[in-house]
Amino acid sequence: MDRIVVRGGRRLSGVIPISGAKNAALPLMAAALLTEGPLVLTNAPDLADIATMAALLRTLGLTVEHDKAARRITLRGSARDVTAPYDIVRKMRASILVLGPLVARHGRARVSLPGGCAIGTRPVDLHLKGLEALGATIALDGGYIEAAAPKGLTGARIVFPKVSVGATENLLMAATLARGRTELVNAAREPEIGDLAECLNEMGARIGGIGTDRLVIEGVDSLGPAEHPIIPDRIEAGTYACAVAITGGEAVLKGARMADLGAVPRTLREAGVELSELRDGVRVRRPNGLIGTDVMTEPFPGFATDMQAQFMALMCVAEGASMITETIFENRFMHVPELMRMGARINYHGASAIVRGVPKLSGAPVMATDLRASVSLILAALAAEGQTTVSRVYHLDRGYEAIERKLAAVGADIERLRD
Ligand code: EPZ
């Protein structure tokens, strides 16, 4: 397995290009199941999760071409099979996003039930209840969700008891081909959902309320081809903002959009980081010391749970204490013991962690159990004295395109050791 070696202490400076968003690309690819196509997605990132979604869609019968040099994914054809197998779903939970489109267009789907996950139990009950409200019957058989709507889906008013990105996306896609009107109330408002809705409308769907927590969908008989640019990855942008800040550097995050970052810019400013919006990006600079700042994760436009670990790494070297509360996932502090191995002072209990800043972290061999936890260790390593080796790099490859190359290009001493 590959490892990443970082020798800390270098200030980052220069330009970091931000790739297309993983969490926008995955539902957009699943949306290809709603049409004969072609659906052409531009600004596509080259990531392990994208390859996994492409493999799943090919298993279902679609033709998927990923032109990596052109950053373009072309999807065409219709599903010949409606089974999303365990072997793929267990690798990537976002596979559940094929459920809504398959039932809506083919009247049937068989999708392996995703199991638990390193960051929490992550049930899919809201996806299933929503599909039932649209008229599908749902059964569980041998670890698989069996969904059926032989006469098609029918629009309904669905009030989510809890904000869920994935359930909003699944039901939004399903509702585009349902008979009549669907209302999704208390819908998630993450920018990736707006991007999906825009693309579906380009394919011929009729979705209103984009960007709000109430999406209204008037069902149509079929969807057609479209070409759609994937939005820049706000979590990648936020991560590199923290990387620049932790080294006291200055850089431009090319392509990043400030509005998509929700509460992250406000929180970073409170912590002593300067951010300014440019025509095609965001400039980040950390001129003075970092200041301990409290943060609580929330659905968009609140502070993203996908930025919690990276912000914690930053707070490890801030002046004073900061309280970090995770409200979205019940087990998303797996980076804490690893950060502590690098000299961080963190106490945590339940959903909250108190970080007491230290003047210096020190390099160590570390590893992590999920994507954002892994990248928080890279950030800590950039600021640490000495050498850090981060193993289980496959987590990083799921969501950060060419991370070692992007960081080395702005001055980090970082390399990948291949086994
Ligand atoms: C998406 O996951 C993202 N993944 C996650 O990013 C992100 O952390 C999460 O949204 C929250 O922003 C993709 O977009 C592919 P949820 P998702 O449904 O859709 C509970 C990353 O690092 N819930 O919004 O699975 C759930 O347990 C990943 O890139 C139910 O109870 O998240 C959680 O507590 C990790 N029942 C909360 O809702 C359900 O049916 C929010 O989850 C569904 C969710």
Side-chain angles (χ1 to χ4, degrees):
M1 268 185 278
D2 291 0
R3 281 161 298 156
I4 286 189
V5 177
V6 181
R7 282 166 289 270
R10 300 260 199 111
R11 255 187 201 168
L12 302 188
S13 102
V15 177
I16 307 176
I18 301 304
S19 300
K22 165 180 85 84
N23 289 348
L26 296 172
L28 285 167
M29 290 173 77
L33 290 165
L34 293 164
T35 172
E36 183 65 35
L39 175 62
V40 180
L41 301 173
T42 57
N43 194 33
D46 180 12
L47 299 168
D49 274 11
I50 299 297
T52 304
M53 183 57 96
L56 172 58
L57 294 173
R58 286 189 193 110
T59 302
L60 295 172
L62 265 55
T63 304
V64 185
E65 288 158 31
H66 188 171
D67 181 339
K68 293 180 182 175
R71 308 196 149 265
R72 190 172 54 231
I73 301 176
T74 305
L75 307 109
R76 53 165 67 88
S78 296
R80 289 188 302 269
D81 189 350
V82 293
T83 301
Y86 176 61
D87 262 359
I88 299 185
V89 180
R90 75 184 165 83
K91 266 200 247 166
M92 187 184 70
R93 303 178 55 86
S95 305
I96 188 80
L97 294 171
V98 303
L99 180 64
L102 282 174
V103 190
R105 181 136 180 262
H106 301 283
R108 211 168 81 77
R110 204 168 162 263
V111 176
S112 172
L113 192 62
C117 167
I119 61 176
T121 49
R122 303 185 74 180
V124 292
D125 55 315
L126 302 175
H127 302 239
L128 304 186
K129 279 185 196 134
L131 281 175
E132 277 178 337
L134 295 179
T137 56
I138 306 279
L140 275 180
D141 178 42
Y144 279 76
I145 303 161
E146 301 263 7
K151 295 194 179 125
L153 297 171
T154 310
R157 182 168 193 271
I158 297 168
V159 182
F160 292 107
K162 179 172 190 171
V163 178
S164 162
V165 173
T168 301
E169 290 167 343
N170 234 335
L171 296 170
L172 177 64
M173 289 189 278
T176 58
L177 294 182
R179 260 185 313 276
R181 181 189 173 100
T182 299
E183 220 185 306
L184 301 178
V185 181
N186 196 26
R189 284 184 285 164
E190 270 67 4
E192 292 77 19
I193 289 167
D195 200 33
L196 173 65
E198 301 283 1
C199 177
L200 291 168
N201 278 351
E202 287 151 21
M203 292 159 71
R206 292 173 58 203
I207 302 167
I210 298 175
T212 74
D213 62 0
R214 182 172 163 274
L215 294 165
V216 180
I217 306 107
E218 301 288 348
V220 296
D221 290 338
S222 64
L223 296 178
E227 178 166 333
H228 179 82
I230 299 167
I231 55 170
D233 196 316
R234 65 192 166 100
I235 305 300
E236 191 196 21
T239 301
Y240 286 127
C242 289
V244 173
I246 207 165
T247 68
E250 174 169 0
V252 170
L253 311 175
K254 193 170 179 310
R257 300 199 305 214
M258 193 81 94
D260 286 354
L261 295 172
V264 169
R266 190 178 65 228
T267 313
L268 284 176
R269 284 186 185 118
E270 235 183 289
V273 184
E274 288 181 6
L275 292 151
S276 52
E277 181 138 41
L278 309 173
R279 203 168 43 82
D280 182 28
V282 170
R283 181 186 299 280
V284 190
R285 191 166 91 94
R286 200 258 288 173
N288 302 307
L290 288 162
I291 306 156
T293 302
D294 295 347
V295 76
M296 184 183 282
T297 62
E298 284 171 339
F300 192 84
F303 191 95
T305 173
D306 290 348
M307 280 298 303
Q308 182 256 108
Q310 301 88 313
F311 189 74
M312 185 181 289
L314 201 58
M315 291 298 94
C316 288
V317 290
E319 173 91 38
S322 81
M323 179 154 112
I324 298 182
T325 306
E326 172 59 53
T327 71
I328 308 291
F329 293 111
E330 64 273 22
N331 191 29
R332 214 174 193 183
F333 282 141
M334 300 298 278
H335 41 288
V336 169
E338 298 300 301
L339 289 170
M340 288 171 73
R341 299 191 60 249
M342 298 178 71
R345 285 181 64 206
I346 308 171
N347 244 321
Y348 74 107
H349 184 72
S352 290
I354 292 275
V355 184
R356 293 184 178 86
V358 295
K360 267 271 169 249
L361 295 172
S362 59
V366 288
M367 64 172 141
T369 45
D370 81 280
L371 171 59
R372 312 301 171 186
S374 299
V375 87
S376 77
L377 302 176
I378 300 270
L379 301 191
L382 291 172
E385 229 154 45
Q387 177 170 307
T388 299
T389 307
V390 182
S391 42
R392 296 197 180 156
V393 168
Y394 55 88
H395 289 300
L396 287 168
D397 294 336
R398 292 186 61 175
Y400 289 92
E401 184 174 314
I403 184 164
E404 71 276 17
R405 267 184 279 143
K406 288 191 186 187
L407 286 172
V410 289
D413 183 346
I414 181 168
E415 65 178 323
R416 178 183 291 246
L417 300 183
R418 297 190 186 273
D419 270 3

